[in-house]
Structures are given as C-alpha cells and as structure tokens.
Amino acid sequence: MPRTKLLTDFKRLHRLVQSGAVFCAFDTETTGLFPKQDRIIELGAVKFDKNGVRDTFNTLVNPQIPLPPVCQQVSHITDEMVRDAPKIVSVLPEFLRFAEGCILVAHNALFDIKFTDEELKRCGLLTLTHQAIDTLSLSRWAYPANGHWKLQYLAEQFKIEVKAAHRACDDARVCMEVFLRCIRDTMDRQKPVESDGLF
C-alpha cells in the first residue's frame, strides 16, 4: 500500500490553500497501466500556492524498453524522443527535491503515486510519504451530477486551455486549474477559514 496519505475532507481545502500550503500538481505518462511491469516515460509537475505558480518541472524519461504502439498513439511520445532522455534513476531525486514539503495533487492520484512508488523501489529509494489530493475524487464530490469526470472533459467544461493533452506537464497544469476551480465552485460547502484545525 502507498505510504502517501490521501486527504479526503474536501470541505477544508479552501482553508488549506489560504493557510499558505504549497501544492505540487503532477502527472506521469507511462508505457502501460501496470506499475510493476510498465515504466514512466514522462514526468511533469507544477508547484503552486494561493499566489499562483511557483515553478514547473518536466522531463521525458528513457524507460530502457521499447514503447508499445498504443502508448505512442495516446501520448505522441516516440522511441526517438526518449532515446536520449535521462533514466528514471536520475529523474526521481530531482522530482523529490522539487516536491519536497508540498501536498501532491493528481487526477486519479493513486495511479501516478503507485507508478512513482514502483520506480522509486526499483531505484532503491524510499516511496512517497506526502499528503495528496485526488482531483478525480474531488471533482466527483464537487460536481456529482456531471456523469463524467475525466481531466480533459473537465477542462472542456470549464474552458481551461489544453495545450498538449496526455503530456505530463500540461496535464499537471490542467489538474492544478481543476483543483482550484473545484474549490471556488464549492465555497458554500467549504469550512470557514477561521475554523480550527486543517486535517
């Protein structure tokens, strides 16, 4: 089981943002759906707080295996593009430094967390221990009547610009914007900022 703690008290998110918390919206592109056998081929992240974007992180990753055709079709990432990219063993320490002290934010967060954890274990590193927020669960709570909660659907619904769907850094940015929109649209359900305690 992941050591990451998912925050699920969505009524306290506005208070968390206003407290000055720093968030790291992140996304992985992978060779497939199974963390134990598939590999990360791109890792993107956006660090932000209540004042806006603080920094971005984005890199392709050489998975050291051929990319399956379906992977290339979805992400438009090719073998040629990752051939000279850094290997995950050098990417992960940089990402951990980037995300240090942050609350992770991801759409279908356990997917990205489990992939990252498996890659960390293969590199002999400790798995993630961050707090995290899943914007898929958050958007289902915020918009129960929607019927669809995929990231690209929400982006279209909220007129969030999508520059490169299924590319890690842009998906991370869209995730950040969905996160902030969910909070803004549920202000009538958010706990007052002056209330005691966060999580």
Side-chain angles (χ1 to χ4, degrees), residues 152 161-171 173:
Q152 305 308 324
E161 182 182 8
V162 175
K163 298 176 182 177
H166 302 295
R167 292 299 302 269
C169 197
D170 198 54
D171 280 355
R173 177 191 57 80

Side-chain angles (χ1 to χ4, degrees), residues 10 13 24-25 29 61 69 80 96 106 108 112 124 137 151 155 161:
F10 298 138
L13 291 182
C24 176
E29 298 301 324
V61 180
E80 291 73 19
L96 292 176
N108 193 16
D112 299 288
S137 298
L151 188 63
E161 182 182 8

Side-chain angles (χ1 to χ4, degrees), residues 33-154:
L33 301 177
F34 304 102
K36 290 190 179 299
Q37 68 188 50
D38 291 308
R39 299 292 185 268
I40 291 174
I41 58 171
E42 189 175 37
L43 182 56
V46 180
K47 187 187 299 185
F48 66 100
D49 61 16
K50 64 182 179 180
N51 297 314
V53 174
R54 295 173 58 155
D55 202 358
T56 60
F57 177 93
N58 188 48
T59 183
L60 291 166
V61 180
N62 183 343
Q64 300 179 273
I65 58 172
L67 302 188
V70 66
C71 159
Q72 298 187 54
Q73 290 166 9
V74 170
S75 66
H76 303 292
I77 297 172
T78 65
D79 288 303
E80 291 73 19
M81 291 168 65
V82 299
R83 182 174 294 125
D84 296 323
K87 297 178 177 63
I88 197 69
V89 69
S90 62
V91 168
L92 287 174
E94 292 182 25
F95 173 68
L96 292 176
R97 284 191 291 272
F98 180 86
E100 185 176 2
C102 296
I103 297 169
L104 299 178
V105 180
H107 205 71
N108 193 16
L110 284 180
F111 177 89
D112 299 288
I113 289 166
K114 286 178 179 178
F115 256 97
T116 304
D117 278 351
E118 282 299 325
E119 295 281 25
L120 285 164
K121 286 190 280 188
R122 277 191 283 268
C123 295
L125 300 171
L126 295 176
T127 55
L128 298 171
T129 57
H130 300 66
Q131 292 182 312
I133 297 164
D134 178 12
T135 52
L136 177 58
S137 298
L138 171 60
S139 61
R140 283 174 170 156
W141 173 80
Y143 314 105
N146 245 29
H148 300 280
W149 300 275
K150 287 185 176 181
L151 188 63
Q152 305 308 324
Y153 178 90
L154 293 169

